[in-house]
Amino acid sequence: MTETDSAVCFVCILLIPAAVAGIAAVNAGLGRARNAAQSMLSSMCFAAAAAIAYFVVGFVWQSYVGGPSRVLLIGGKPWDWIGAARPFFLGLDLSSGAVAPLFGMMSAALAAIIPIGGGGERWRLGVGCASAAFLGGVTFPLFAHWTWGGGFLARLGQNYGIGRGFIDAGGAASIHAVGGVTALAMAWILGARRGKYLPNGMPSAIPGHHATFVLGGCLLAWIGVLGLDCAGAILFDGASWRVGPLVVVNATLSAGAALLAVAWITRLRYRKVDASLSANGWVAGLAASSAGCASMAPAGAMIVGLVAGAIVVFGVEWLELHLHVDDPGGAVPVHLLAAVWGVLAAGPLARNAGPDQWLAQVAGVATSFGFVLPVAYGANWMLNRFLPQRVSAEGERHGMDLHELGAGAYPDFMSYQDE
Amino acid sequence: MKLAGLLLLPAGWIIVLAAVALLPSALTRNAFALAGCSIEIFGLALVCGTHAGFKKVSR
């Protein structure tokens, strides 16, 4: 990587906190007013816990390409399973332009706030920080090592001739799917919100309190994901800074196509455009295009976005109505289902990839569900046994703001009438 | 059933990885990888079904 690449990469990484702020605003806006301050504070605390856990131990497991790692020989081929760097970033000279650990820390913070969408309005702040620390210290860095740190997924092409190895420059799997899988686990463990399901099993609508907050959050997320994708493309796809315009065009086309697809489908189905679903569609388009952001042609990115939008509309309905997953922020369809689609689509749509590329992408998706989901579910289930993660029924009725923070986000007005 | 589903998820994943690492022929490798994915989907369906069964009634 040249000096210019490093400098561009560093500037792009500085944009990633905008994605954190955007997703936090989306999650807060899609919840009720009585939980808004707790949701925003949870985002900050979860991001902080994950970043600290990554600094303390996470980077040890993630390491970097060419860095220390543990390798097994399977079938005569090296399988790089886990990094072996030093804790607390020891041995790294951060003042000489080492951008990979900085990228990892920001990505861990972003991944850690995604589950708030699935566990919103009922997830206690303190124990949630412990869950975020586990994600930032264990599940995210392990997956990131396999994808970005020279691990076995990245080397599928080199070792077995399977395409270019697993393609995920912008973190559709490493960030969005890891966060989305954890969101699904949390939605299962916490159960549905009070009043979400009627005794006959039918879901009731619990609308968010601030559509402007949600839509503004999407615009912030756009800026952050552009930086994330550009930095990931330079760091992990072997691209130079010159690939930046392609990455920006791809992310914007995908998000735009997803938004318009959702607006069109909801207009057809409900006679009105649904603002919150459209916002989720925008973020889903950004998540889906991240995998092949530097490898796809712009037309391919549009196709990815169109399908991601449809996935959001039907995924939300399917999860809520048939699987009874109460996901107030739409984290599962947006960050898991759409991202998985983006990862799979990067196989046939990526340029300079062989016909076997789909198998590398399938191996990456299989790792999300086969490793991250059981580990995230098991760890959070165990944590829940000792420290209940769900707020008490009384706390949920009063609202998380009053119950956990002692004051509401909007003290000047009463805005809920559903009790 | 939930535990069985959660165990099928890593089982399917290991089959996918084993197919990639150990099978030289593209046809058998692809077939075993898809079989591993099918097992994961079955495990996911079991876990989803278990949760949909007992979490739907609000507290």
Side-chain angles (χ1 to χ4, degrees):
Chain A
M1 199 160 61
T2 64
E3 286 280 313
T4 311
D5 290 339
S6 290
V8 171
C9 194
F10 177 68
V11 172
C12 291
I13 291 171
L14 293 182
L15 298 176
I16 297 176
V20 178
I23 302 296
V26 169
N27 287 336
L30 287 174
R32 286 167 289 187
R34 65 181 118 157
N35 306 310
Q38 197 264 1
S39 177
M40 287 301 278
L41 185 63
S42 291
S43 295
M44 293 176 71
C45 291
F46 284 26
I52 291 169
Y54 182 84
F55 167 70
V56 172
V57 72
F59 188 70
V60 175
W61 316 130
Q62 182 177 344
S63 193
Y64 51 94
V65 179
S69 61
R70 311 270 179 226
V71 179
L72 292 174
L73 275 179
I74 298 177
K77 299 280 176 61
W79 275 63
D80 191 335
W81 284 98
I82 192 166
R86 295 168 67 190
F88 302 102
F89 288 175
L90 289 173
L92 296 174
D93 188 1
L94 292 172
S95 60
S96 70
V99 285
L102 181 63
F103 182 87
M105 183 188 257
M106 297 295 187
S107 302
L110 177 58
I113 67 159
I114 290 171
I116 295 173
E121 304 203 288
R122 59 215 193 275
W123 197 357
R124 291 172 58 218
L125 178 60
V127 67
C129 286
S131 173
F134 183 80
L135 187 150
V138 181
T139 46
F140 166 76
L142 276 174
F143 199 97
H145 175 70
W146 298 336
T147 310
W148 293 335
F152 67 89
L153 285 175
R155 291 180 190 272
L156 286 176
Q158 190 180 326
N159 288 343
Y160 299 100
I162 300 175
R164 291 164 46 192
F166 183 52
I167 296 175
D168 185 25
S174 309
I175 299 172
H176 294 281
V178 166
V181 154
T182 310
L184 178 62
M186 288 317 303
W188 279 336
I189 290 168
L190 294 169
R193 290 169 290 174
R194 285 180 84 249
K196 178 64 190 174
Y197 289 100
L198 304 172
N200 64 4
M202 288 303 289
S204 57
I206 303 180
H209 82 286
H210 207 314
T212 315
F213 222 52
V214 175
L215 295 164
C218 289
L219 297 175
L220 266 180
W222 182 23
I223 297 169
V225 171
L226 292 183
L228 179 75
D229 286 357
C230 287
I234 294 169
L235 279 170
F236 308 120
D237 209 48
S240 80
W241 66 270
R242 291 181 177 82
V243 81
L246 175 67
V247 172
V248 170
V249 165
N250 279 349
T252 305
L253 284 178
S254 177
L259 171 80
L260 293 176
V262 173
W264 183 68
I265 294 171
T266 53
R267 176 77 176 77
L268 279 182
R269 299 190 84 198
Y270 316 128
R271 295 177 185 275
K272 302 276 184 190
V273 174
D274 188 305
S276 62
L277 275 178
S278 300
N280 271 337
W282 177 267
V283 181
L286 291 173
S289 67
S290 291
C293 61
S295 313
M296 289 185 295
M302 272 185 70
I303 294 168
V304 167
L306 282 172
V307 177
I311 285 173
V312 167
V313 178
F314 297 108
V316 164
E317 193 174 299
W318 181 60
L319 285 162
E320 192 171 293
L321 201 61
H322 300 293
L323 298 182
H324 296 106
V325 173
D326 184 16
D327 177 12
V332 178
V334 171
H335 296 283
L336 179 58
L337 301 183
V340 163
W341 152 247
V343 168
L344 294 175
L349 293 177
R351 294 179 298 193
N352 306 322
D356 276 349
Q357 185 61 46
W358 68 272
L359 185 56
Q361 303 306 105
V362 164
V365 171
T367 306
S368 298
F369 287 103
F371 172 77
V372 181
L373 180 55
V375 168
Y377 187 94
N380 282 294
W381 180 83
M382 189 65 77
L383 192 61
N384 192 47
R385 299 280 291 179
F386 296 106
L387 297 167
Q389 302 214 46
R390 180 169 179 144
V391 71
S392 65
E394 188 189 0
E396 199 177 343
R397 189 159 46 83
H398 289 155
M400 302 293 281
D401 287 359
L402 282 180
H403 184 73
E404 293 220 299
L405 310 181
Y410 311 101
D412 293 339
F413 61 89
M414 295 280 283
S415 62
Y416 56 87
Q417 300 171 334
D418 58 327
E419 292 294 342
Chain B
M1 292 303 278
K2 183 169 69 177
L3 184 62
L6 284 171
L7 290 174
L8 282 175
L9 289 169
W13 175 51
I14 289 167
I15 289 173
V16 173
L17 296 190
V20 167
L22 301 175
L23 299 175
S25 152
L27 185 67
T28 52
R29 185 167 68 184
N30 295 349
F32 270 82
L34 290 177
C37 289
S38 306
I39 290 170
E40 281 198 49
I41 291 168
F42 182 56
L44 193 60
L46 277 182
V47 183
C48 287
T50 314
H51 277 279
F54 72 83
K55 292 282 186 183
K56 66 183 177 186
V57 179
S58 306
R59 295 198 305 176

